[in-house]
Coordinates of all heavy atoms in Angstrom, one line a residue:
S47 N 4.1 6.8 -4.9 CA 5.2 7.6 -4.3 C 6.4 7.6 -5.2 O 7.5 7.1 -4.9 CB 5.5 7.0 -2.9 OG 6.7 7.4 -2.4
H164 N 0.6 6.7 0.8 CA -0.1 5.4 0.7 C -1.2 5.4 1.7 O -2.0 4.4 1.8 CB 0.8 4.2 1.0 CG 1.8 4.1 -0.1 ND1 2.9 3.2 0.0 CD2 2.0 4.7 -1.3 CE1 3.7 3.3 -1.1 NE2 3.1 4.2 -1.9
Q172 N 6.6 7.0 5.2 CA 5.7 6.1 4.4 C 5.5 4.7 5.0 O 4.4 4.2 4.9 CB 6.3 6.1 3.0 CG 5.4 5.4 2.0 CD 5.9 5.5 0.6 OE1 5.9 6.6 0.0 NE2 6.4 4.4 0.1
D173 N 6.6 4.1 5.4 CA 6.4 2.7 5.9 C 7.2 2.5 7.2 O 8.4 2.9 7.2 CB 7.0 1.7 4.9 CG 6.6 1.8 3.5 OD1 5.4 2.1 3.2 OD2 7.5 1.5 2.6
E215 N -0.8 -0.6 0.5 CA 0.0 -1.8 0.4 C -0.4 -2.8 1.5 O 0.4 -3.7 1.8 CB 1.5 -1.5 0.5 CG 2.0 -0.7 -0.6 CD 3.5 -0.5 -0.6 OE1 4.2 -0.9 0.3 OE2 4.0 0.1 -1.6
I251 N 12.6 1.2 7.8 CA 11.6 2.3 7.5 C 11.9 2.8 6.1 O 13.0 2.8 5.6 CB 11.8 3.5 8.6 CG1 13.2 4.0 8.6 CG2 11.4 3.0 10.0 CD1 13.4 5.2 9.6
D252 N 10.8 3.2 5.5 CA 10.8 4.0 4.3 C 10.4 5.4 4.6 O 9.2 5.7 4.8 CB 10.0 3.5 3.2 CG 10.1 4.2 1.8 OD1 10.9 5.2 1.8 OD2 9.5 3.8 0.8
V253 N 11.4 6.3 4.8 CA 11.1 7.7 5.2 C 10.4 8.4 4.1 O 9.5 9.3 4.3 CB 12.4 8.4 5.6 CG1 12.1 9.8 6.1 CG2 13.1 7.6 6.7
A254 N 10.7 8.1 2.8 CA 10.1 8.7 1.6 C 10.1 10.2 1.8 O 9.1 10.9 1.6 CB 8.7 8.2 1.3
S255 N 11.3 10.7 2.2 CA 11.3 12.1 2.6 C 11.2 13.2 1.5 O 10.9 14.3 1.8 CB 12.6 12.4 3.4 OG 13.7 12.2 2.5
H257 N 8.8 13.5 -0.2 CA 7.4 14.0 -0.2 C 7.1 14.9 1.0 O 6.0 15.4 1.0 CB 6.5 12.7 -0.2 CG 6.8 11.9 -1.4 ND1 6.5 12.3 -2.7 CD2 7.4 10.7 -1.5 CE1 7.0 11.4 -3.5 NE2 7.5 10.4 -2.8
E293 N 15.2 3.8 4.3 CA 15.1 4.1 2.8 C 14.8 5.6 2.7 O 13.9 6.1 3.4 CB 13.9 3.2 2.3 CG 13.6 3.4 0.8 CD 12.5 2.4 0.4 OE1 12.3 1.4 1.0 OE2 11.8 2.8 -0.6
D294 N 15.4 6.2 1.7 CA 15.1 7.6 1.3 C 15.0 8.5 2.6 O 14.1 9.3 2.8 CB 13.8 7.7 0.5 CG 14.0 7.3 -1.0 OD1 15.2 7.2 -1.4 OD2 13.0 7.1 -1.7
L318 N 19.3 3.0 2.2 CA 18.7 2.4 1.0 C 18.2 3.6 0.1 O 17.4 4.4 0.6 CB 17.6 1.5 1.5 CG 16.7 0.7 0.6 CD1 17.5 -0.2 -0.3 CD2 15.7 -0.1 1.4
G319 N 18.6 3.5 -1.1 CA 18.1 4.5 -2.1 C 17.0 4.0 -2.9 O 17.0 2.9 -3.5
D320 N 15.9 4.8 -3.0 CA 14.7 4.5 -3.9 C 14.5 5.6 -4.8 O 15.0 5.6 -6.0 CB 13.5 4.1 -3.0 CG 12.2 4.0 -3.8 OD1 12.3 3.8 -5.1 OD2 11.1 4.0 -3.3
D321 N 13.8 6.7 -4.3 CA 13.7 7.9 -5.2 C 15.0 8.5 -5.6 O 15.1 9.1 -6.6 CB 12.8 8.9 -4.5 CG 11.4 8.5 -4.3 OD1 11.0 7.5 -4.9 OD2 10.6 9.1 -3.5
L343 N 17.2 0.0 -3.6 CA 15.8 -0.6 -3.8 C 15.7 -0.7 -5.3 O 15.8 0.3 -6.1 CB 14.7 0.4 -3.2 CG 13.4 -0.3 -3.1 CD1 13.4 -1.2 -1.8 CD2 12.3 0.7 -2.9
K345 N 13.5 -1.5 -8.5 CA 12.1 -1.6 -9.1 C 12.3 -1.5 -10.6 O 12.7 -0.4 -11.1 CB 11.3 -0.4 -8.6 CG 11.0 -0.4 -7.1 CD 10.4 1.0 -6.8 CE 9.8 1.1 -5.4 NZ 9.5 2.5 -5.0
Q348 N 10.9 1.4 -12.7 CA 11.5 2.8 -12.6 C 12.3 3.1 -13.8 O 12.6 4.2 -14.1 CB 12.3 2.9 -11.3 CG 11.5 3.0 -10.0 CD 12.4 3.2 -8.8 OE1 13.5 2.6 -8.8 NE2 12.0 3.9 -7.8
S372 N 11.9 -4.7 -5.1 CA 10.6 -4.1 -4.5 C 9.5 -4.1 -5.5 O 9.6 -3.9 -6.7 CB 10.9 -2.7 -4.1 OG 9.7 -2.1 -3.6
A373 N 8.3 -4.4 -5.0 CA 7.0 -4.2 -5.7 C 6.7 -2.7 -5.7 O 7.4 -1.9 -5.2 CB 5.9 -5.0 -5.0
R374 N 5.5 -2.4 -6.2 CA 5.0 -1.0 -6.2 C 3.7 -1.0 -5.4 O 3.1 -2.0 -5.1 CB 4.7 -0.4 -7.6 CG 5.9 -0.4 -8.5 CD 7.1 0.3 -8.1 NE 7.0 1.7 -7.7 CZ 7.5 2.7 -8.3 NH1 8.2 2.5 -9.4 NH2 7.3 4.0 -7.9
K396 N 10.6 -6.5 -1.0 CA 9.6 -5.6 -0.3 C 8.4 -5.6 -1.2 O 8.4 -5.2 -2.4 CB 10.3 -4.2 -0.3 CG 9.4 -3.1 0.4 CD 10.0 -1.7 0.3 CE 9.1 -0.7 0.8 NZ 9.5 0.7 0.4
Ligands
ZN508 ZN1 10.4 4.1 -1.2

Side-chain angles (χ1 to χ4, degrees):
S47 162
H164 296 167
Q172 186 173 291
D173 311 321
E215 294 188 356
I251 57 176
D252 184 358
V253 183
S255 65
H257 304 292
E293 180 179 335
D294 285 343
L318 182 58
D320 172 16
D321 292 349
L343 197 78
K345 293 168 167 167
Q348 285 181 325
S372 176
R374 302 306 302 249
K396 181 185 174 195

